[in-house]
Amino acid sequence: MENENKELELSERQLTILDAIIRNYLATGEPVGSRTISKYTDLNLSSATIRNEMSDLEEMGYIVQPHTSAGRIPSDKGYRLYVDHLIETNDKKEKELSDMKELVIENTEKMEQVLKQAAKVLANNTNYATLVSAPDVNHNKVKFIQLSQVDDHQLIVVIVMEGNIVKNQIVTLDEPLSNEALLKLNMLLNTSLNGTSLEQINLGVIARLKEQAGIHSGLVARVLDAVAATIQVDEDDMEIYTSGATNFFKYPELSDKTKATELISAFEEKQELVDLVKDRMADGENTGVQVYIGDELPIATMKDCSVVTATYELGDGMHGTIGIVGPKRMDYENVVNSLKTLKTELDQVFKKNS
């Protein structure tokens, strides 16, 4: 209702002028004056009439006047109205990221590689900074376990989970294993654990496996510890893949030495990004594209930025976040369409490979 009331307080003419100011500022990065608007729209209004409307828009908080210019630029409130009501998101007009489609079709063996490359391709396509979080796998299920002997004292445990998440753990051996014993342990573990989640690997399951393993019960216990350590991920250790942080320098309003340093530091250290993703994922109902503008962001260093996020699904309630970070005058329409395309491709890939 609040957004509807905001829109109702503007006339069609004011909405058209606000739209023209925002689109012009997105394209040029320069404050927009009444003469520019008179040329930019087909309203056939005088500059004086447009100035009066711009004064009203400024009084209502949709645009602001920089101290050094006679023109106006959008405020956070203006961007919010634009994002909520003025972007055309007709599915038929969504851009097709051909290199993204090729990426997710041809490289699905390891989820980490797909997500790292997805962040890079998204940064290249939008010219903004990007982040992709690895999915929450605490509720994921075991798809396959492979034990392989490295030498007489070490065993490598390869754990493949749904969504083609592959993890490796090294387990110590008390004594070398014969090929026959290794084969039997592989069969025992896969027969018992395939399709199970961490919550389902309870004390009863562990006791039964140790009993069936006989003299190798101690080794099975260490393997199960390795599986548990792989599946259970601390939220503070969430993996975030980033790309395009140097794109901040392309935008004058973000390239100030202090601002740029803080933004790039946030992308390198990643803890603030982890907090942002956790806040985003905590709101489970917002599974579509979400836009956070300026002061709506919980990160102080990003108050001059906008962040657009989407959630991709891995199945069984597991999901991750894709995000694009740029100036408040970012090309929202392109960003939203790019995120929708990537989200759809990732959803299809992980669904196909789970």
Side-chain angles (χ1 to χ4, degrees):
M1 286 297 296
E2 184 179 348
N3 284 334
E4 291 178 9
N5 291 335
K6 285 180 180 178
E7 187 171 1
L8 287 174
E9 73 176 323
L10 299 182
S11 66
E12 283 298 320
R13 188 162 72 183
Q14 288 171 331
L15 282 171
T16 302
I17 291 172
L18 177 61
D19 182 54
I21 291 171
I22 293 176
R23 290 182 183 274
N24 195 274
Y25 184 66
L26 293 182
T28 67
E30 297 293 331
V32 184
S34 58
R35 291 187 62 185
T36 300
I37 297 303
S38 65
K39 297 175 184 177
Y40 194 78
T41 69
D42 56 0
L43 288 173
N44 296 319
L45 298 174
S46 67
S47 292
T49 301
I50 293 175
R51 279 197 297 273
N52 288 336
E53 296 287 17
M54 289 174 69
S55 293
D56 289 342
L57 287 170
E58 184 175 6
E59 188 174 331
M60 288 184 283
Y62 290 102
I63 56 177
V64 294
Q65 181 178 19
H67 297 300
T68 57
S69 172
R72 306 294 196 280
I73 65 174
S75 66
D76 286 7
K77 183 179 178 181
Y79 281 124
R80 171 50 59 196
L81 184 66
Y82 173 78
V83 167
D84 288 346
H85 299 286
L86 302 179
I87 293 180
E88 296 178 12
T89 54
N90 189 324
D91 289 342
K92 294 180 181 178
K93 295 182 68 177
E94 287 189 9
K95 297 181 180 179
E96 195 69 56
L97 300 180
S98 58
D99 47 354
M100 185 66 69
K101 179 170 283 188
E102 181 180 343
L103 157 75
V104 293
I105 288 174
E106 294 183 358
N107 298 281
T108 59
E109 291 185 3
K110 289 209 59 180
M111 183 207 66
E112 292 91 340
Q113 294 175 0
V114 173
L115 296 182
K116 285 179 183 178
Q117 190 64 13
K120 182 177 179 181
V121 172
L122 198 58
N124 290 339
N125 274 281
T126 62
N127 281 317
Y128 301 124
T130 60
L131 63 99
V132 182
S133 75
D136 168 19
V137 296
N138 283 339
H139 304 292
N140 204 352
K141 295 179 180 178
V142 175
K143 187 175 180 181
F144 182 73
I145 295 176
Q146 177 67 49
L147 306 183
S148 300
Q149 193 162 323
V150 179
D151 53 37
D152 289 349
H153 305 288
Q154 287 185 317
L155 192 73
I156 186 168
V157 184
V158 180
I159 303 137
V160 182
M161 294 176 285
E162 288 185 347
N164 275 10
I165 301 174
V166 182
K167 300 291 184 180
N168 302 322
Q169 291 276 3
I170 296 293
V171 173
T172 58
L173 289 170
D174 296 327
E175 57 184 24
L177 283 174
S178 67
N179 290 336
E180 182 181 1
L182 194 60
L183 178 62
K184 286 182 178 180
L185 286 175
N186 271 308
M187 291 178 63
L188 172 63
L189 289 167
N190 281 288
T191 301
S192 303
L193 299 182
N194 284 5
T196 60
S197 64
L198 182 61
E199 291 87 346
Q200 294 170 318
I201 306 175
N202 53 36
L203 291 175
V205 171
I206 294 171
R208 186 172 66 252
L209 277 170
K210 290 173 68 175
E211 182 181 354
Q212 293 174 329
I215 61 172
H216 300 300
S217 61
L219 175 58
V220 165
R222 291 195 291 274
V223 170
L224 290 174
D225 286 342
V227 172
T230 298
I231 299 178
Q232 192 168 32
V233 179
D234 190 319
E235 283 188 346
D236 291 333
D237 293 331
M238 178 187 294
E239 191 70 52
I240 302 279
Y241 307 106
T242 62
S243 187
T246 55
N247 284 335
F248 290 128
F249 290 110
K250 295 180 179 179
Y251 305 98
E253 61 267 49
L254 300 180
S255 61
D256 168 86
K257 184 177 180 181
T258 302
K259 288 181 182 178
T261 300
E262 289 177 344
L263 285 169
I264 291 175
S265 176
F267 265 69
E268 288 178 347
E269 295 175 7
K270 298 185 180 180
Q271 185 54 53
E272 287 184 314
L273 300 183
V274 169
D275 294 339
L276 175 65
V277 170
K278 285 165 62 178
D279 286 346
R280 170 72 176 81
M281 293 173 69
D283 193 351
E285 295 183 1
N286 289 331
T287 56
V289 173
Q290 299 293 313
V291 181
Y292 304 90
I293 301 168
D295 288 333
E296 296 173 356
L297 287 161
I299 302 176
T301 56
M302 293 186 181
K303 295 304 182 183
D304 293 315
C305 298
S306 284
V307 177
V308 186
T309 67
T311 299
Y312 67 87
E313 298 292 335
L314 195 61
D316 288 332
M318 292 175 295
H319 53 272
T321 297
I322 318 162
I324 297 177
V325 184
K328 287 189 281 191
R329 63 179 182 96
M330 69 164 55
D331 184 347
Y332 292 98
E333 194 164 3
N334 177 49
V335 165
V336 168
N337 287 337
S338 296
L339 271 182
K340 283 185 175 181
T341 301
L342 175 56
K343 168 181 161 56
T344 299
E345 297 297 341
L346 287 179
D347 286 350
Q348 290 175 353
V349 164
F350 291 140
K351 183 177 180 181
K352 182 178 69 176
N353 288 278
S354 54

